[in-house]
Structures are given as C-alpha cells and as structure tokens.
Amino acid sequence: MTDQELVELAFTMLERSYVPYSHFPVGAALECADGTIFTGCNVENSAYGSTICAERTALVKAVSEGHRDDFTRIAVVGNSTDPCWPCGACRQMLYEFAPDLTVLVARKDHSFVKLSLKELLPHGFGPKSMD
Ligand code: THU
C-alpha cells in the first residue's frame, strides 16, 4: 500500500468520528508489518477528558488484537488546513510500541507530511528508558 493509500484509508474514518463537542473529526490508519491495518477515529465524551483520539483508538484496537512490536506506519488525518499533528498523548502512546514508526500527517486537501515519530517526539521516554 502506498503512503497516499494509507492516508486515504484514514480519511474514510472521518465519518465514524463521534465529535459532538469539538466538531473536529480525526481519522487514523495504523499499519503492521504483515499488512494488517487498524483504523481509528476520535470518540468524544460529555466528560471531555474521557475523549480518545483517533490514533489511540487505532493503537488500542491493534494491541488488543495481539499486535505489539510490528507497527510500520500510521496516517493521521483531519479537516484542517495545517497538517493534523498528533497530540502529545498520542505521540507518547505510539512511542511505547513503535519508536521507529513512520508518521503521515495529512491536511484536508489530502496532501501530507511524512516524518518519523522520533522527529515528533525527540528523546522520548519508553520501555528502554527504564533499563
Ligand atoms: N484529536 C485526535 O483525535 N487526535 C489528535 O492527535 C489530536 C486531537 C481529537 C480529539 C478531539 O476529539 C478533537 O480532535 C479536538 O481536539
């Protein structure tokens, strides 16, 4: 699957987002080395802090299905002019399982920025930090 195809898959998730409070849908598509893809969307809550982001939805779906150390790329998309940058909590959660992850961050016109998670979270704290 090309980078653009992974981005397009993430865009299909925008319609599943539950965003009655922010009205800002976000979609994600997380790829595993074997080609399996876990998608996600943001799911908000009237207790705002209980909201889960699209990236973490995809990640917990994957981990709960037995994937842990085989993540290759994630696409993150939103209806924003700027790239829909992953929030700090999502960067940290992804770093736990995939410090070498490639991240595709898309704008509403479907163009995207490609960079590494380590660029987004330099000097990240992860399992190796506790050795
Ligand atoms: N959001 C995500 O889904 N991912 C991010 O990395 C940034 C923010 C969601 C959370 C909330 O539902 C909405 O975007 C506005 O913050």
Side-chain angles (χ1 to χ4, degrees):
M1 176 174 283
T2 65
D3 288 346
Q4 191 70 56
E5 285 170 339
L6 195 65
V7 165
E8 297 308 326
L9 196 54
F11 268 107
T12 69
M13 293 305 291
L14 293 183
E15 66 190 45
R16 300 248 175 105
S17 290
Y18 175 72
V19 288
Y21 307 107
S22 74
H23 306 288
F24 186 75
V26 180
L30 177 64
E31 179 195 59
C32 305
D34 67 0
T36 307
I37 293 171
F38 293 90
T39 54
C41 62
N42 50 341
V43 181
E44 297 186 344
N45 191 272
S46 49
Y48 296 169
S50 299
T51 292
I52 185 167
C53 292
E55 304 93 305
R56 279 179 286 149
T57 300
L59 180 65
V60 298
K61 283 171 68 178
V63 173
S64 64
E65 294 296 325
H67 290 265
R68 265 191 197 176
D69 54 8
D70 59 339
F71 302 123
T72 47
R73 292 180 294 175
I74 189 169
V76 186
V77 312
N79 284 326
S80 48
T81 307
D82 283 343
C84 186
W85 299 111
C87 78
C90 288
R91 295 178 196 199
Q92 180 64 37
M93 282 284 286
L94 291 165
Y95 193 87
E96 177 77 14
F97 297 98
D100 295 317
L101 194 66
T102 294
V103 186
L104 312 172
V105 191
R107 308 174 182 88
K108 66 180 177 186
D109 67 1
H110 293 221
S111 64
F112 62 90
V113 177
K114 180 176 185 173
L115 71 181
S116 68
L117 182 56
K118 280 181 176 162
E119 288 176 278
L120 289 171
L121 189 66
H123 307 290
F125 185 87
K128 284 193 164 66
S129 307
M130 300 182 74
D131 287 346

